[in-house]
């Protein structure tokens, strides 16, 4: 076979994904989604609802179906523009699964065994975890690299997966002697609140899957629910510190101040300048007001969109068509690189 050359990877392409499992939380919002809309100004963006990733843990079909539409509505309500950019659910583009298979053959067992998310999600009984949960990061690498995207906005918890995706891209480029075919992925970990913690335990990540609803603020919570959850959020007896050093051994205080800073678009230091020395009672009122002011327009727009599910589906299908058209030439090149006999 003669060595072929491939067009360079697009330099301004963003890809990110979010799982349609349970309710979206304030953590998803501040850590990821909020940063997605502004990127649309300077980049060509693909935002994907990753239903194939969701089923690495069992999902009730009806709940998965509803959650997919709910996430789509949330993303549109947060300013994602499905006409100018690409919004779709992952299973609409089979190229992700095909490329993930190739990456199953590139990634090493040792690399995957080190993933902290696998260890957390598999729990003590790893023998019973699905094989899909183990190779989850390969599918994530495929999501991004099917479009040769170089920029990925995520929360802090996804950094390790993106490092693995880079290891896969590099090994592929090296083993098949196609330097630069897959671009290096730059993680975009943006904003003040890259890791929002549980309201009940400041050492645990705020998560859609936490059994306690009081541990998180959902994007669908109404003003009363938000105020109640913040009022009951775990704190400690001391007043708020004057500076960030005072957060030592006070994860709950740090978390609430970080959330407030992110919601009001200030730094933690600026917030402590305002509230340092105050008790939690007054601060929690301010925080609840800021959260309600910020989230209630999003929630009402989401509810308006969800009243017409057929329109949401049409939007996703259009996104799926655009996505397939973008990944098709990349996956065709990969088949070519691997030496498969195919029509080109
Ligand atoms: P997931 O809910 O796991 O699909 O995550 C979707 C996006 O939200 C990813 O970019 C995560 O990094 C981000 N994310 C999820 N939970 C949090 C959290 N507690 N704090 C900050 N970012 C988060
Ligand atoms: N694994 C990510 C999460 O749980 C979701 C995801 C899947 C993703 N594919 C992606 C994020 C590609 C960024 C890029 O949060």
């Amino acid at each position: 076979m003669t060595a072929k050359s491939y067009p360079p990877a697009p330099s301004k392409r963003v890809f990110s994904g979010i799982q349609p499992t349970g309710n979206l939380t304030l953590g998803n919002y501040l850590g990821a989604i909020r940063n997605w809309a502004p990127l649309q100004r300077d980049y060509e963006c693909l935002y994907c609802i990753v239903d194939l990733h969701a089923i690495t843990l069992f999902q009730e079909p009806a709940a998965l179906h509803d959650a997919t539409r709910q996430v789509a509505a949330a993303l549109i309500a947060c300013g994602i523009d499905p006409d100018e950019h690409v919004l779709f659910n992952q299973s609409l583009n089979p190229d992700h699964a095909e490329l993930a298979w190739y990456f199953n053959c590139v990634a090493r067992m040792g690399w995957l065994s080190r993933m902290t998310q696998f260890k957390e999600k598999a729990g003590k009984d790893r023998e019973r975890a699905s094989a899909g949960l183990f190779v989850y990061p390969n599918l994530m690498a495929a999501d991004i690299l099917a479009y040769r995207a170089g920029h990925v906005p995520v929360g802090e918890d996804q950094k390790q997966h993106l490092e693995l995706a880079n290891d896969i891209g590099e090994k592929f480029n090296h083993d098949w002697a196609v330097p630069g075919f897959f671009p290096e992925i730059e993680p975009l970990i943006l904003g003040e609140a890259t890791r929002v913690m549980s309201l009940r335990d400041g050492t645990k990540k705020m998560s859609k899957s936490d059994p306690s609803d009081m541990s998180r603020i959902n994007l669908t919570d109404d003003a009363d629910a938000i105020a109640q959850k913040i009022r009951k959020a775990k704190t400690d007896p001391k007043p708020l510190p004057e500076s960030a050093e005072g957060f030592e051994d006070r994860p709950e205080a740090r978390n609430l101040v970080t959330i407030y800073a992110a919601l009001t678009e200030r730094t933690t230091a600026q917030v402590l300048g305002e509230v340092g020395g105050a008790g939690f009672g007054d601060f929690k009122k301010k925080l609840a007001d800021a959260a309600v002011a910020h989230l209630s327009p999003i929630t009402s727009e989401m509810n308006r969109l969800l009243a017409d599910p057929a329109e949401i589906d049409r939007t996703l299908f259009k996104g799926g068509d655009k996505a397939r058209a973008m990944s098709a030439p990349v996956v065709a090149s990969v088949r070519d690189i691997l030496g498969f006999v195919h029509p080109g």
Side-chain angles (χ1 to χ4, degrees):
M1 284 198 353
T2 49
K4 289 200 190 145
S5 63
Y6 300 94
S11 63
K12 292 241 154 219
R13 191 172 278 179
V14 157
F15 184 100
S16 197
I18 185 160
Q19 300 196 56
T21 48
N23 279 321
L24 291 177
T25 70
L26 187 65
N28 295 126
Y29 177 69
L30 294 176
I33 304 173
R34 188 177 49 173
N35 305 313
W36 292 6
L39 291 167
Q40 297 176 118
R41 230 186 10 237
D42 299 320
Y43 296 88
E44 174 187 28
C45 299
L46 295 112
Y47 293 127
C48 183
I49 303 165
V50 292
D51 45 13
L52 301 177
H53 277 106
I55 62 162
T56 55
L57 302 174
F58 180 78
Q59 303 298 322
E60 281 301 336
L64 180 66
H65 201 258
D66 286 352
T68 302
R69 288 176 177 157
Q70 203 199 82
V71 174
L75 294 179
I76 299 168
C78 291
I80 302 308
D81 178 348
D83 296 321
E84 290 296 317
H85 296 267
V86 187
L87 174 65
F88 67 113
N89 52 305
Q90 195 181 21
S91 57
L92 291 174
N93 186 359
D95 284 348
H96 294 230
E98 180 176 335
L99 192 58
W101 174 258
Y102 305 149
F103 289 170
N104 286 344
C105 304
V106 175
R108 307 288 96 182
M109 298 286 284
W111 301 357
L112 293 164
S113 313
R114 285 191 282 276
M115 292 296 110
T116 51
Q117 184 173 298
F118 174 74
K119 292 186 212 165
E120 273 166 30
K121 289 201 178 175
K124 285 196 186 68
D125 197 358
R126 282 201 206 165
E127 296 285 309
R128 292 179 59 84
S130 73
L133 190 66
F134 189 65
V135 295
Y136 177 115
N138 298 345
L139 177 60
M140 185 163 159
D143 295 339
I144 302 162
L145 294 176
Y147 307 94
R148 301 171 89 197
H151 309 273
V152 180
V154 284
E156 183 71 42
D157 61 334
Q158 296 302 312
K159 212 170 144 204
Q160 196 187 31
H161 285 159
L162 295 185
E163 284 161 10
L164 185 87
N166 270 325
D167 291 341
I168 291 175
E170 257 174 51
K171 183 166 167 59
F172 181 96
N173 291 349
H174 175 268
D175 290 357
W176 281 275
V178 281
F181 180 76
F182 286 125
E184 185 170 338
I185 298 163
E186 180 202 8
L188 302 174
I189 299 178
L190 307 165
E192 199 62 22
T194 55
R195 191 168 166 81
V196 177
M197 309 310 278
S198 156
L199 298 179
R200 309 301 304 165
D201 176 351
T203 63
K204 262 177 43 192
K205 189 177 82 161
M206 181 181 287
S207 161
K208 304 177 180 130
S209 50
D210 192 300
S212 163
D213 194 57
M214 293 301 282
S215 71
R216 63 179 161 262
I217 292 173
N218 305 303
L219 292 194
T220 48
D221 284 345
D222 62 19
D224 290 345
I226 294 176
Q228 195 205 22
K229 287 176 179 179
I230 293 179
R231 215 171 31 246
K232 299 223 162 139
K234 185 175 170 201
T235 50
D236 57 45
K238 290 193 277 184
L240 285 157
E242 306 280 346
S243 72
E245 290 84 69
F247 285 138
E248 184 95 17
D249 298 325
R250 301 181 67 189
E252 286 82 15
R254 179 197 299 273
N255 187 39
L256 295 182
V257 170
T258 306
I259 294 173
Y260 187 58
L263 286 171
T264 57
E265 301 196 44
R266 288 179 298 167
T267 62
T268 306
Q270 282 168 332
V271 168
L272 290 178
E274 178 197 332
V275 303
F280 277 101
D282 286 345
F283 172 66
K284 282 180 163 181
K285 282 199 199 88
K286 284 185 196 227
L287 175 58
D289 288 346
V292 170
H294 207 92
L295 298 182
S296 66
I298 297 174
T299 311
S300 55
E301 179 60 6
M302 262 174 84
N303 290 335
R304 192 187 68 76
L305 293 162
L306 284 168
D308 188 356
E311 177 60 21
I312 295 180
D313 295 357
R314 276 192 294 276
T315 302
L316 292 172
F317 300 159
K318 255 194 288 174
D321 290 345
K322 288 199 265 182
R324 282 199 303 276
M326 290 164 85
S327 62
V330 179
V331 174
S333 299
V334 172
R335 292 187 200 119
D336 197 54
I337 291 167
L338 293 172
F340 292 168
V341 175
H342 73 111

